[in-house]
Amino acid sequence: MDIRESLSMALRTLAAHRLRSFLTVLGIVIGNAAVIAMVGVGQAAQRYTAEQLASLGTNVLFVVPGREDARRRGIEPPATLTWEDAQAIAAQVPTVRWVAAQINESALASYGNRTTPTAVTGTVPDFFRVQSFDLQQGRFFHELDVQRQGRVVVLGSDLAAKLFGDRSPIGERIRLRNLSFEVIGVLAPKGAFLGTNRDDAAYIPLTTMAYQLTGRRSPYGLTVAFISVSARDEASVSAAQFQITNLLRRRHKIVDEDDFYIRTQKEAVAIAGNITGVLTILLAATAGISLLVGGIGIMNIMLVSVTERTQEIGLRKAVGATEGDILQQFLLEAIVLAVAGGILGTAVGTLGLIGIGWVTPLQAQVSWEAVILAVGVSGTIGLVFGVAPAQRAAQLDPIVALRST
Amino acid sequence: MKAPLIRLVNVSKVYGLGENQVQALQNVSLEIQPGEYCAIMGASGSGKSTAMNIIGCLDRPTTGDYYLQGENVARCSSAQLAHIRNQQIGFVFQQFHLLPQLTALENVMLPLVYAGVPPRERQQRARLALEQVGLGHRLHNKPNQLSGGQQQRVAIARAMVNQPALLLADEPTGALDSRTSQEVMDLFAELHQQGVTIVMVTHEADIARRAERIIWFRDGQVLHDHLRPDDVYQAIRAM
Ligand SMILES: Nc1ncnc2c1ncn2[C@@H]1O[C@H](COP(=O)(O)OP(=O)(O)OP(=O)(O)O)[C@@H](O)[C@H]1O
Ligand SMILES: [Mg+2]
């Protein structure tokens, strides 16, 4: 029989049992909505991290202490990277423009009777350039502040608001770990970076951090958490990486394994992409399982439907339907159900993504690949799970079928 | 003499296996000529429906041969049997067996769908068939909007829409009152006039009386195969 005939017959039957058809495809709808939403969220997360890293500028390199694989194994990085290293890079590497060593701590910040925990970064003036910070009020600290271990602080906009409300903090004194600092500047809002809020933070001179706030020193000198470096331009990133590596190997008298490693912007993006990529796959797999469950739901209801429609099948056979005709009709019903579920699910998933876009910074888009995949997979699921009921229908003995009343 | 339309030769039918075996038909031999109008009668469980199912190619004999228009049906594939049912046989059942979600017109079109007739022609032929059974004004009603007699007439239109040579009816009036039963029988008589071969199963004497020949079954065998309807009618009335 012509496939269009079967299709219109399938559509009529499904339309005649609207509620049941809807309930049957609910599983597929949910499965598809989940796939669309999960893949959308995963991809949005991937794009978000990439954008965040790219916002640093493409010519940034990070020098990090420890062996490259140490961090992954959860080993505390050795205190081998020092401020002197950073100064040497700035002085001796010609392809480098700005160099910023930094130490990160957390501390309680207080002003008057207001107290709040915050992130404190000890660093140098170049830091603001590498990270391209802008000022809202006041000034950044100078080289001189670093040399003199000045008790000055530049506040992130959120921290300033928490401590001072609407008042101007410039010239006021706040306390960090019970040391008094003069507020000299407030940064323009910068937003979160990979989940840490850079506006709820205080920035102080590196030396003040090392010698007064933490008191932490090592036999190597003033050790730092990492050094961010800005190459002259994008083209000189690899040259800078090579030159810094050589310089640090000489300074650290390394013969075999490096005790530091250098990440370029590109590598960082790739790594972040890998992590979020795995996340996407996990989410998609979970959603895929619910799609499978939806398929089993279709099979279940179709089997019931075959039993219920025994008489119809017998009658169709009596007036000339072949086994192939019946098979085709029931298979098409299953496929139509599944594909309709796929389309409906895609719509629901898309609405879900729009909702997620409202409440999180993840601006998810519906990817065409995901839509085609979801609907295609649904159709296939309809086909696969429709076979058993359709075969049962096709093989019904017309006499038995007609006798049942 | 014309070649018989239906020829059963030593047909037996056994249902079930082992202990539960039922011999529904036992060495039935029977010939029906083109254009005949036969009624099959007999007690309940005597094998009437079983014989009808075999004649209608819905079932196959366990042993024996069945020739329909000279062709041995036992050798046909199930797809070929479907084609025979579609082209050469029309069925009418006691329970009408109309599809509830389809209109009268669509129900009548069903055999034409499986015959591969294009939609426009299908519509025309189905409409004509319904007009012939007097339901030209009920084309778009669903079965549950029709009376029992009307539903059976739709079923007759469906059986005849492909212009088969043979009309098989298993207790066609079993679910109808006596007046509508006679209306259905009038339709059968008309079809018989037009040359259609009719075989019907019935329990009712005044229905069987409308046929030309009565075949009597007992215990899966043909007891009499050429009774005259009026004799049977008188005999049953006398009881
Ligand atoms: N599918 C089947 N499986 C097992 N036994 C069956 C089957 N179909 C019919 N039979 C048996 O075969 C015998 C003949 O049945 P059949 O339906 O042909 O009788 P019938 O003459 O049509 O009776 P009725 O007048 O009640 O319709 C009965 O004993 C019945 O129980
Ligand atoms: Mg019967």
Side-chain angles (χ1 to χ4, degrees), chain B residues 28-43:
Chain B
V28 170
S29 294
L30 197 63
E31 284 188 7
I32 295 173
Q33 304 301 324
E36 273 196 280
Y37 185 176
C38 306
I40 297 179
M41 299 190 79

Side-chain angles (χ1 to χ4, degrees), chain A residues 27 288-298:
Chain A
I289 288 171
S290 61
L291 209 55
L292 197 70
V293 174
I296 293 170
I298 286 195

Side-chain angles (χ1 to χ4, degrees), chain B residues 31-173:
Chain B
E31 284 188 7
I32 295 173
Q33 304 301 324
E36 273 196 280
Y37 185 176
C38 306
I40 297 179
M41 299 190 79
S44 184
S46 57
K48 306 183 294 292
S49 294
T50 307
M52 286 291 270
N53 290 337
I54 288 172
I55 293 170
C57 296
L58 286 167
D59 205 356
R60 296 169 195 265
T62 310
T63 58
D65 290 308
Y66 168 33
Y67 298 88
L68 178 65
Q69 290 186 329
E71 192 180 358
N72 191 345
V73 170
R75 301 229 179 88
C76 291
S77 69
S78 71
Q80 284 171 319
L81 289 183
H83 186 70
I84 291 173
R85 291 195 294 267
N86 184 246
Q87 296 290 319
Q88 303 187 25
I89 301 169
F91 289 97
V92 175
F93 306 93
Q94 180 177 359
Q95 302 299 334
F96 321 140
H97 285 307
L98 300 176
L99 300 192
Q101 75 269 28
L102 302 184
T103 63
L105 191 66
E106 289 165 335
N107 266 293
V108 176
M109 276 159 50
L110 210 54
L112 300 175
V113 171
Y114 292 112
V117 174
R120 283 182 62 96
E121 187 189 335
R122 222 188 276 165
Q123 285 240 359
Q124 283 169 0
R125 281 171 62 179
R127 185 189 300 265
L128 205 68
L130 277 166
E131 280 165 4
Q132 277 171 3
V133 298
L135 287 175
H137 59 300
R138 292 293 192 171
L139 301 180
H140 303 292
N141 288 76
K142 299 263 174 84
N144 62 6
Q145 298 164 328
L146 298 173
S147 72
Q150 287 173 329
Q151 289 186 53
Q152 193 60 303
R153 282 191 277 162
V154 173
I156 293 167
R158 180 180 63 194
M160 297 315 297
V161 73
N162 243 340
Q163 290 162 338
L166 178 60
L167 176 63
L168 298 178
D170 196 342
E171 302 188 38
T173 59

Side-chain angles (χ1 to χ4, degrees), chain A residues 96-146:
Chain A
V96 152
R97 181 148 35 149
W98 296 308
V99 178
Q102 71 181 76
I103 301 172
N104 302 312
E105 282 291 333
S106 52
L108 286 179
S110 52
Y111 173 74
N113 55 5
R114 292 191 195 182
T115 299
T116 173
T118 192
V120 183
T121 298
T123 187
V124 296
D126 269 357
F127 174 82
F128 300 105
R129 300 190 189 99
V130 175
Q131 305 260 343
S132 43
F133 274 109
D134 290 319
L135 278 170
Q136 207 171 50
Q137 318 172 40
R139 63 170 179 92
F140 297 128
F141 43 81
H142 303 312
E143 277 311 321
L144 207 61
D145 296 313
V146 178

Side-chain angles (χ1 to χ4, degrees), chain A residues 204-251:
Chain A
I204 61 174
L206 182 68
T207 48
T208 317
M209 177 75 141
Y211 299 124
Q212 301 183 25
L213 208 68
T214 65
R216 201 174 64 186
R217 303 197 53 185
S218 86
Y220 304 103
L222 195 169
T223 60
V224 297
F226 67 90
I227 302 171
S228 33
V229 176
S230 215
R232 291 225 163 272
D233 48 48
E234 222 181 312
S236 45
V237 168
S238 343
Q241 183 175 14
F242 180 74
Q243 290 161 353
I244 295 169
T245 306
N246 276 339
L247 175 67
L248 291 185
R249 280 185 185 156
R250 248 187 300 123
R251 287 181 56 84

